[in-house]
Amino acid sequence: MKENRTYKWGMIGCGSVTEVKSAPAYQHTEGFELFAVMGRDLSKAKDYAHRHQVPNFYDDADTLINHPEIDAVYIATPPDSHEFYALKVAAAGKVCCIEKPMATSYEACKRINAAFKNAGLPLFVSYYRRSLPRFLQIKQWIDEGKIGSIRHIHWQFCKPANELDMSRTYNWRTDINIAPGGYFDDLASHGLDLFVYLLGSINSAEGLAENKLGLYSAKDTIKGKWQHDSGVTGFGSWNFGAESREDIVKLYGNKGNITFSVFGESPIVLECDDETTQLSIPNPEHIQTHHVENIKSHLREGALHPSTGETAAHTNWVMESILKNKIEVINN
């Protein structure tokens, strides 16, 4: 699909992720227009539309999806409804972008991908770190062989339980029926997807997932290990009830190391040839800006977007394998 025209987008869901991170990126991208928003509460959808100068608002997803002027749909709802809406979008013949994680299971991801493949439509998923300049710099260092042959990647992520967790107030992000891994699904998915982008596909993964806090139904303490097709091994530890926050990734090569944060904006650090290089590369105000610009390039210029339904499904498989508490080998 390569068309030099304006794409009118409809957005299903108008929660916090859309306020600054995503919706303004669609509005500010040349050739894109945020034409309509949908929320189950019409008054909230109306308020959102007025605040963001979106011309149309609805409380019915079918009305938005089947609107004759809408070319593309961004699904920004909790993951348990992603498949339901995505299949409707595919049936309507519209371009689609789904928030991450792509769905609540790998099997659901495969069904979504099959629907868009059969319809001959592009499908994107909001793993926007694949498009951020700070991570493209890391990929450039890797591709240039700055640290030689990469042997291992290690990620340590911790954060304290927040007030919502402690109050035991309902939160879909910690509901085992929507996010089996809790914050792991919401946060670790970003890092694991990024590692696949940097190092290639993963062919085996296993882990240990537990609920130690007892504050909610989903898992809160996870350890995982995996291996990329290239032979690079990986290990991650995620603790969502720690005393303090920590987010450190280290890539080990036979000629040096690269250290960075998945979520923070601390400098990325390259150690090689007895020298240390630190680069501060800030994220854009609307963090999905480069991701959305790449969607435009895919649609209008034929450039391949780095985050598609196929790549996102692979990330779901990796997460699911880690949460199963046993080794899983990819088998398509």
Side-chain angles (χ1 to χ4, degrees):
M1 187 176 294
K2 187 176 179 181
E3 298 176 277
N4 190 26
R5 64 180 177 87
T6 295
Y7 283 79
K8 291 186 177 181
W9 285 81
M11 184 173 75
I12 300 176
C14 40
S16 59
V17 71
T18 70
E19 291 282 353
V20 177
K21 290 183 176 181
S22 61
Y26 285 88
Q27 291 178 301
H28 297 161
T29 295
E30 183 182 356
F32 281 4
E33 176 188 348
L34 186 54
F35 181 78
V37 297
M38 173 266 166
R40 288 178 297 178
D41 184 325
L42 187 62
S43 64
K44 291 182 179 179
K46 179 180 179 180
D47 173 70
Y48 187 98
H50 287 176
R51 286 188 295 105
H52 289 272
Q53 292 81 54
V54 179
N56 301 285
F57 57 90
Y58 309 105
D59 61 358
D60 177 68
D62 288 333
T63 301
L64 181 145
I65 292 169
N66 295 299
H67 193 293
E69 291 189 64
I70 288 178
D71 307 292
V73 178
Y74 166 42
I75 300 172
T77 58
D80 62 327
S81 60
H82 287 181
E83 181 184 12
F84 176 76
Y85 289 129
L87 295 182
K88 286 176 176 287
V89 175
K94 307 290 177 75
V95 173
C96 187
C97 181
I98 306 174
E99 260 305 327
K100 42 60 57 187
M102 183 177 171
T104 55
S105 72
Y106 177 54
E107 289 301 317
C109 293
K110 291 200 294 185
R111 289 191 292 269
I112 295 170
N113 278 325
F116 279 87
K117 182 178 180 180
N118 290 339
L121 293 164
L123 173 62
F124 311 99
V125 179
S126 296
Y127 282 115
Y128 52 82
R129 279 171 172 77
R130 289 176 175 241
S131 297
L132 285 175
R134 62 185 282 111
F135 300 116
L136 295 182
Q137 178 61 66
I138 292 170
K139 184 166 176 56
Q140 182 179 326
W141 282 341
I142 293 170
D143 293 345
E144 291 174 349
K146 293 291 188 182
I147 62 172
S149 176
I150 298 174
R151 306 296 172 78
H152 183 72
I153 185 168
H154 184 280
W155 185 19
Q156 178 75 33
F157 183 88
C158 304
K159 82 174 192 66
N162 57 36
E163 291 183 7
L164 189 62
D165 301 332
M166 299 302 292
S167 70
R168 299 176 187 269
T169 302
Y170 179 78
N171 178 4
W172 67 261
R173 289 179 174 82
T174 53
D175 181 343
I176 196 169
N177 296 309
I178 298 176
Y183 292 113
F184 173 84
D185 290 11
D186 189 36
L187 300 176
S189 59
H190 270 298
L192 291 168
D193 183 82
L194 175 64
F195 302 160
V196 170
Y197 177 63
L198 295 174
L199 303 172
S201 295
I202 290 171
N203 57 40
S204 63
E206 62 180 314
L208 176 64
E210 303 173 278
N211 182 311
K212 291 190 174 183
L213 297 175
L215 296 176
Y216 41 74
S217 59
K219 306 300 183 182
D220 57 39
T221 306
I222 299 101
K223 294 180 175 64
K225 61 181 181 178
W226 61 90
Q227 180 168 298
H228 295 263
D229 287 343
S230 61
V232 175
T233 56
F235 180 82
S237 176
W238 304 272
N239 183 343
F240 300 104
E243 179 184 4
S244 59
R245 188 179 180 92
E246 186 176 20
D247 176 12
I248 301 173
V249 179
K250 193 158 188 175
L251 271 167
Y252 296 87
N254 67 337
K255 294 182 179 179
N257 306 307
I258 299 173
T259 306
F260 60 95
S261 166
V262 172
F263 297 101
E265 292 192 50
S266 57
I268 56 176
V269 180
L270 169 66
E271 300 171 282
C272 66
D273 299 326
D274 297 321
E275 294 183 2
T276 299
T277 301
Q278 297 190 36
L279 291 181
S280 293
I281 305 176
N283 292 326
E285 177 186 3
H286 309 298
I287 201 164
Q288 292 200 22
T289 294
H290 297 289
H291 161 76
V292 176
E293 288 280 355
N294 282 339
I295 293 178
K296 182 189 74 172
S297 296
H298 185 115
L299 295 176
R300 296 181 63 176
E301 300 166 19
L304 182 63
H305 196 283
S307 181
T308 65
E310 293 294 335
T311 64
H314 183 68
T315 299
N316 257 80
W317 175 82
V318 175
M319 292 192 299
E320 203 167 284
S321 300
I322 290 172
L323 292 174
K324 282 182 177 178
N325 294 350
K326 62 179 182 179
I327 193 165
E328 291 286 331
V329 178
I330 191 70
N331 181 12
N332 287 322

